[in-house]
Amino acid sequence: MADKTEEAGGVHFPFPFTPYAIQKDFMAALYQVLEAGKIGIFESPTGTGKSLSLICGALSWLRDFEQKKQEEEERLLEARADPLNDGKGQAPCPPPSCQQSPGSPRAAGEPDWVTQFVQKKEERELVDRLKEGQVRRKKREERLRQIRHNASLKFAAKRMRQEDEETERLLRLSREMLAAGTGPEQLAWGEDELVLAEYESDEEKGSASGLDADEDDLEEEHVTKIYYCSRTHSQLAQFVHEVQKSPFGKDTRLVSLGSRQNLCVNEDVRKLGSVQLINDRCVELQRSKHEKKSVVEEEKPGRRRRLEPRATCPFYNHKQLQLLRDEVLLEVKDIEQLVALGKEARACPYYGSRFAIPAAQLVVLPYQILLHAAARQAAGIRLQGQVVVIDEAHNLIDTITGIHSVEVSGSQLCQAHSQLLQYMERYGKRLKAKNLMYIKQILYVLEKFVTVLGGNVKQSPNTQSLSQAGTELKTVSDFLFESQIDNINLFKVKRYCEKSMVSRKVRVPLRGPPLLSSVRLFSWPAEPPNALSPCSPCGSSPGAGRGPSGSLSQPLLSSLSQLFGFTERYGAVLAPSREQPKLSGFQHFLQSLQPGVTAAPAAPAEEGEDRALRPASPLMHIEGFLAALTTANQDGRVILSRQGSLSQSSLKFLLLNPAVHFAQVVKECRAVVLAGGTMQPVSDFREQLLACAGVEAERVVEFSCGHVIPADNILPLVICSGPSNQQLEFTYQKRELPQMMDETGRILCNLCNVVPGGVVCFFPSYAYQRQVHAHWDKSGLLARLAVRKKIFQEPQRVNQVEQVLLEYSRCIQVCGHGGHALPQHQVCRAAGEDGLPGPDPRRAIRHQKDFASIVLLDQRYARPPILAKLPAWIRDRVQVKATFGPAFAALRKFHREKSGSS
């Protein structure tokens, strides 16, 4: 459909079709919020074109802002270049982005000539900065223009990639030939001088060590941009596709950000699976890019220092990253397209996308990157003077709370203590005094954490039964006092962990190749002659290094234990329930060698459990808990959960004031927009988030619009009792009663008989959803429902939601009836707060001619204070039904009429 240009509030908004009236109002209000530097809370139900309104409204403002800024800069440069205006006239006003902040330290008693000199100096510096900015902008525009119109550049880059691939293939074959041999032949005296040293061409040296020198070419000045974030990658991908279809799709420099797990194209790294392992390996490869590790052989006359080549990532190459960065900026791409481009260009999409951030106009990223200060810094995000749009912001407060809440188990505490203690025992004599001091402090803290749970770090957490069971809630100060660590400066410990990266030194490697390379470099203990045989695992003969009973001798066992990554002393610690990932073959080998220790079988994974989320180092996870304990006393609480055994017990930091982490965002940004389909009650955002973050009430702007559907296309009902007259009240005290779950099931069966399309059920929590699902399965209700509807259940882990939604979409395609109607299916979802089921009507209506019924199963919804929390377009149409009969009749009539008319 041809693009149209709509005018609202005196501003022209390009749009792919004729917008609804509420879309015009939305874009005009959004434009004013960005122009005035306000905080906007925008509520627009799903189905009203909220994404397109955000895109066209925000990018229209950015278009005008860039144009005005460029005109002002040109006017200032022309004024400075005019010889007739050499200090005689009024100096032109600098552009807004370059103006000095008020309250500059200009002394009142300075002579005029000093003031004039300083002013002219500042003007010259400003002009120089503007000229440099113009040069950089023109160079970027010319570079992108050449890539867009010059196919020979792409061909040259492709040929270079093919040459690199062929070189890498030949090197791999050479290494395989060397590895297939039985080892180097013993040389006669003096012959080692004839052996060629390790060779690196000038290009290889440049690619290995020259990236830092060339990173100035990759880094550009940050232009004014819009950061758009949402909850899931599928939502972000959908937004990017909307940008591609919009009138701004061809001219916008958009960058999609994601994690290494989503963007890595190095198969050797991707197959590690775990997020933390992928991150660690990537960082290690980048260090290898800039370092050379030397291995000094035995001190003998005539011996030379040999350089041991370290593995580097072939996708981290300056020239290819530069090309990928420009390709990213050339046209709009989502995550999948970015990964495909990275594979084709043999360049890392993770770093390529980050190098593209400064010049980008629109950056699309998940919540976790934007809302966490350390993640922002790692990604190279600068919020000063920028615009942030947070979509699906109805759960923003919970999201911030969840990101900054940390839980550590007793098992993790014991693992971390064991690993760090062995690390200190192994390398203590090589460490400086300060390192030892901090390591001992961390060990002391870990021991006290285990003690406060009622355990002992010297015993296996799986075998320790706790005398006390239950849950305690404490302030941060009370927890520190009870743990007897109130005399330790956790701020310094936190900084030490960040700077020294001690948790990476003691991490547990879970894959074979890094361990095998460690075997080659390890200084083995002295063994009797003929104790090693190249035919045995790790070069050992069947009896080498073993004691009388066949167990490993202690020196060799100790060496293997260090090589294993300072793993736990207790075999049982290696297999805590629900936490133990599958052991590699080498780890099983190490365990089998320890006398008296049997490798415990890995616990079966919980259905849908994601092993990739487990950290590679428990100490790395505990660092987050230590950082959380530096939060102000009034802003958080610590929950001590003591279960049957120490391994099942835990310490959890719960953030109570999300504003402390959101304050930096609203302070640095030019404007912030919180958008969602349902933003009620807005008072929660004003009071819990914005006011506590220091935002003045005058800076907050609210916008809310109704739905585009006719009033009679929606039927919201509050049902106070079920078919057997059971009162519906899902409080914590009553919702687990069998009769309450049975009554809910009877209502659902009746609804499925009259609703022709899909049914979405919302529960107060995931735990209650699972409980009800299990109860219905046992009673046979699920089997009866399955006759009418195909049932999907939303998993708790975010990364598994995508798969369920994909299957849900397939069901729609297979079973769809055409028109508006959904297929015969039902989805169980968890939502809501404090025991009250949370309705999410945004999922039910998608366009102007759609229709839906919304059923609220709780008599408390009939109370005015609760009704007031609903969106106005629902609240004004709600019908309260005291009994089930009239409600069922109204639903049957509504769907019969609407299905017939559609």
Side-chain angles (χ1 to χ4, degrees), residues 770-806:
R770 289 192 293 268
Q771 183 179 4
V772 173
H773 191 275
H775 181 81
W776 288 350
D777 188 25
K778 185 177 180 181
S779 66
L781 179 75
L782 281 183
R784 296 198 300 272
L785 282 175
V787 176
R788 299 290 301 173
K789 311 283 184 184
K790 182 174 176 58
I791 301 174
F792 297 89
Q793 189 172 7
E794 181 190 26
Q796 187 168 355
R797 297 191 184 277
V798 175
N799 64 321
Q800 296 170 353
V801 174
E802 306 290 341
Q803 182 61 33
V804 174
L805 293 179
L806 183 62

Side-chain angles (χ1 to χ4, degrees), residues 140-141 143-145 147-148 217-218 220-221 223 225 248-256 321-333 338 341 352-363:
R140 180 181 65 243
E141 292 173 353
R143 193 171 65 242
L144 296 181
R145 187 191 65 80
I147 294 176
R148 182 180 288 112
D217 296 335
L218 291 171
E220 296 191 33
E221 183 182 4
V223 302
K225 58 176 56 63
F248 296 89
K250 295 182 179 179
D251 302 322
T252 300
R253 300 191 300 274
L254 182 147
V255 174
S256 295
L321 282 175
Q322 190 177 40
L323 180 62
L324 180 63
R325 175 202 63 185
D326 294 340
E327 288 279 1
V328 168
L329 296 173
L330 192 61
E331 58 185 25
V332 175
K333 298 177 181 66
L338 181 58
L341 182 62
S353 60
R354 276 153 176 73
F355 287 133
I357 290 176
Q361 297 169 306
L362 180 59
V363 178

Side-chain angles (χ1 to χ4, degrees), residues 312-556:
T312 59
C313 182
F315 297 91
Y316 194 74
N317 176 279
H318 166 254
K319 292 182 179 180
Q320 299 306 118
L321 282 175
Q322 190 177 40
L323 180 62
L324 180 63
R325 175 202 63 185
D326 294 340
E327 288 279 1
V328 168
L329 296 173
L330 192 61
E331 58 185 25
V332 175
K333 298 177 181 66
D334 61 15
I335 290 289
E336 288 74 17
Q337 293 168 328
L338 181 58
V339 170
L341 182 62
K343 291 179 179 179
E344 179 186 353
R346 289 193 61 79
C348 176
Y350 178 80
Y351 286 102
S353 60
R354 276 153 176 73
F355 287 133
I357 290 176
Q361 297 169 306
L362 180 59
V363 178
V364 178
L365 69 165
Y367 282 162
Q368 290 77 3
I369 299 179
L370 181 85
L371 299 176
H372 199 284
R376 289 199 303 270
Q377 183 179 4
I381 293 173
R382 301 178 189 174
L383 296 181
Q384 190 67 44
Q386 309 293 9
V387 171
V388 165
V389 177
I390 302 177
D391 202 0
E392 303 297 334
H394 56 282
N395 60 355
L396 177 61
I397 295 176
D398 293 337
T399 299
I400 298 175
T401 301
I403 289 175
H404 296 90
S405 297
V406 189
E407 184 173 14
V408 295
S409 67
S411 177
Q412 289 173 325
L413 293 170
C414 288
Q415 287 175 332
H417 185 277
S418 174
Q419 293 174 10
L420 190 59
L421 181 62
Q422 292 178 74
Y423 180 86
M424 185 183 71
E425 291 173 349
R426 172 68 177 172
Y427 296 118
K429 295 182 180 179
R430 296 174 177 263
L431 299 176
K432 300 293 184 182
K434 274 197 173 182
N435 275 319
L436 277 177
M437 180 193 72
Y438 279 111
I439 288 177
K440 289 181 178 179
Q441 281 190 345
I442 297 172
L443 286 170
Y444 175 80
V445 169
L446 294 173
E447 182 178 357
K448 290 302 179 182
F449 284 167
V450 173
T451 302
V452 80
L453 284 173
N456 189 331
V457 293
K458 296 180 180 179
Q459 301 175 18
S460 168
N462 284 340
T463 59
Q464 293 188 59
S465 299
L466 303 185
S467 58
Q468 292 182 344
T471 302
E472 290 185 73
L473 181 68
K474 294 184 176 295
T475 65
V476 176
S477 296
D478 289 345
F479 172 75
L480 296 179
F481 276 110
E482 183 175 339
S483 303
Q484 300 178 8
I485 61 171
D486 54 291
N487 59 333
I488 291 182
N489 189 331
L490 291 180
F491 289 93
K492 287 188 175 181
V493 174
K494 172 190 172 185
R495 283 197 296 271
Y496 172 77
C497 292
E498 292 172 350
K499 297 294 183 182
S500 68
M501 296 191 294
V502 61
S503 60
R504 298 179 186 273
K505 308 292 184 183
V506 298
R507 70 184 189 273
V508 184
L510 297 180
R511 293 288 184 247
L515 291 171
L516 294 178
S517 64
S518 300
V519 173
R520 187 178 65 252
L521 302 177
F522 194 80
S523 178
W524 294 87
E527 291 289 338
N530 301 322
L532 297 180
S533 167
C535 301
S536 301
C538 296
S540 62
S541 62
R546 292 188 179 271
S549 63
S551 62
L552 267 186
S553 63
Q554 192 57 39
L556 184 55

Side-chain angles (χ1 to χ4, degrees), residues 11 13 27-36 57 60-61 64 68:
V11 180
F13 295 102
M27 291 186 291
L30 176 62
Y31 191 101
Q32 293 304 317
V33 165
L34 303 186
E35 183 69 16
S60 293
W61 171 83
D64 295 346
K68 286 186 288 187

